[in-house]
């Protein structure tokens, strides 16, 4: 109708409030989420501890690998130095026999022939060979009159001489040689016996010759023949 009042009433102007429905399961879901989060946090801590243990194990293996690599390098360097120092050992053993023959030739030369050109040439060759030995670190063992040392000498026979201290080298049958700090060939010697015990001079570190001789004859492979 034309006279009808179409203005909204105050009741119609009130805001519409939506009804909020709280699900009964919401508090339980929140609790489960909290429990799950706590469990995940515990797993993270365990994982961190596991990773730290693996890191420590890897570090230990790495340190061992570095130490082994250093040992290999040192060993290779030592072998290289030994090869440089002792690489000519077998050749040197052959050459000392040549030196023996040259020395025997000089020692057996009659006096009336020592001034000949041939003997002078032999003497010069022997001296040149000894110089070559020196450059290669090869030295003759000085044995005559020295206390017996089983590290350098090989006893071939005994010399009964009460006037000399026991255990001295009385005679050299064949010269010995060393190359640097290693024995190349032992000197073959005769050793005194029957005299008083050898006493080293004051300040000399050489062990008693008698003890060295008695302890070392078997080690040196000595073949003792009694000399009367």
């Amino acid at each position: 109708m034309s006279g009808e009042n179409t203005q909204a009433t105050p009741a119609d102007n009130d805001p519409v409030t939506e009804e909020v429905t709280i699900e009964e399961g919401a508090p339980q879901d929140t609790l489960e989420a909290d429990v799950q989060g706590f469990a995940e946090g515990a797993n993270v801590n365990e994982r961190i501890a596991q990773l730290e243990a693996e890191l420590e194990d890897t570090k230990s293996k790495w340190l061992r690998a570095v130490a082994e690599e250093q040992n290999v390098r040192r060993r290779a360097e030592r072998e290289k130095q030994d090869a440089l120092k002792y690489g000519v050992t077998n050749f040197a053993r052959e050459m000392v026999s040549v030196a023996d023959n040259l020395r025997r030739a000089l020692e057996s030369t009659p006096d009336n022939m020592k001034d000949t050109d041939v003997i002078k040439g032999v003497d010069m060759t022997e001296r040149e060979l000894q110089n070559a030995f020196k450059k290669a670190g090869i030295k003759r063992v000085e044995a005559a009159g020295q206390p017996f040392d089983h590290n350098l000498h090989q006893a071939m026979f005994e010399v009964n001489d009460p006037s000399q201290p026991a255990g001295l080298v009385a005679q050299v049958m064949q010269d010995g040689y060393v190359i640097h700090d290693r024995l190349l060939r032992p000197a073959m010697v005769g050793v005194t016996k029957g005299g008083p015990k050898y006493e080293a001079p004051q300040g000399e570190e050489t062990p008693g010759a008698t003890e060295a001789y008695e302890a070392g004859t078997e080690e040196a492979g000595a073949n003792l023949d009694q000399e009367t």
Side-chain angles (χ1 to χ4, degrees):
M1 294 183 299
S2 59
E4 185 177 354
N5 186 6
T6 60
Q7 185 177 1
T9 62
D12 294 334
N13 292 332
D14 288 343
V16 177
T17 304
E18 294 181 359
E19 182 178 358
V20 178
T21 302
I22 301 176
E23 297 180 2
E24 295 182 358
Q28 182 176 358
D29 293 343
T30 303
L31 179 60
E32 290 177 355
D34 292 342
V35 171
Q36 183 179 0
F38 177 80
E40 291 177 353
N43 291 336
V44 168
N45 292 334
E46 291 178 0
R47 182 57 177 164
I48 290 174
Q50 180 182 0
L51 291 174
E52 289 178 345
E54 292 177 357
L55 178 62
E56 187 65 26
D57 182 62
T58 301
K59 180 181 178 181
S60 176
K61 291 179 179 178
W62 177 78
L63 291 174
R64 287 196 295 269
V66 170
E68 180 63 22
E69 189 271 338
Q70 291 177 346
N71 290 334
V72 170
R73 186 186 298 114
R74 293 192 190 100
R75 185 159 54 246
E77 182 63 25
R78 185 169 58 251
E79 290 175 354
K80 176 183 176 181
Q81 295 299 325
D82 286 348
L84 292 174
K85 290 175 66 177
Y86 307 112
V88 297
T89 297
N90 292 333
F91 177 72
R93 286 198 180 99
E94 298 295 330
M95 293 306 297
V96 294
S97 297
V98 177
D100 292 339
N101 291 332
L102 292 174
R103 180 168 288 270
R104 292 190 190 100
L106 292 173
E107 291 176 349
S108 62
T109 301
D111 292 339
N112 60 350
M113 294 183 60
K114 289 184 178 181
D115 292 333
T116 62
D117 292 339
V118 174
I119 299 304
K120 289 180 179 179
V122 173
D123 181 61
M124 184 179 298
T125 302
E126 199 269 342
R127 283 189 279 111
E128 286 296 325
L129 182 59
Q130 292 299 326
N131 289 335
F133 281 171
K134 185 176 181 180
K135 292 178 182 178
I138 303 170
K139 296 184 295 184
R140 182 188 291 115
V141 175
E142 298 296 336
Q146 299 297 314
F148 178 83
D149 184 350
H150 67 273
N151 295 310
L152 300 173
H153 309 144
Q154 181 176 347
M156 303 303 294
F157 55 89
E158 292 177 317
V159 178
N160 191 3
D161 188 355
S163 65
Q164 295 291 331
L168 292 182
V169 175
Q171 187 175 350
V172 179
M173 304 298 295
Q174 180 177 271
D175 288 327
Y177 286 88
V178 294
I179 178 169
H180 297 290
D181 55 350
R182 293 184 182 177
L183 181 65
L184 186 63
R185 187 184 72 182
M188 297 183 179
V189 300
V191 185
T192 59
K193 76 167 191 174
K197 179 180 177 180
Y198 174 81
E199 297 293 340
Q202 186 69 23
E204 185 178 331
E205 297 182 358
T206 304
T210 304
E211 288 81 355
Y213 170 64
E214 293 175 351
T217 49
E218 292 186 1
E219 291 185 24
N223 180 18
L224 297 179
D225 295 323
Q226 185 73 23
E227 177 175 301
T228 57

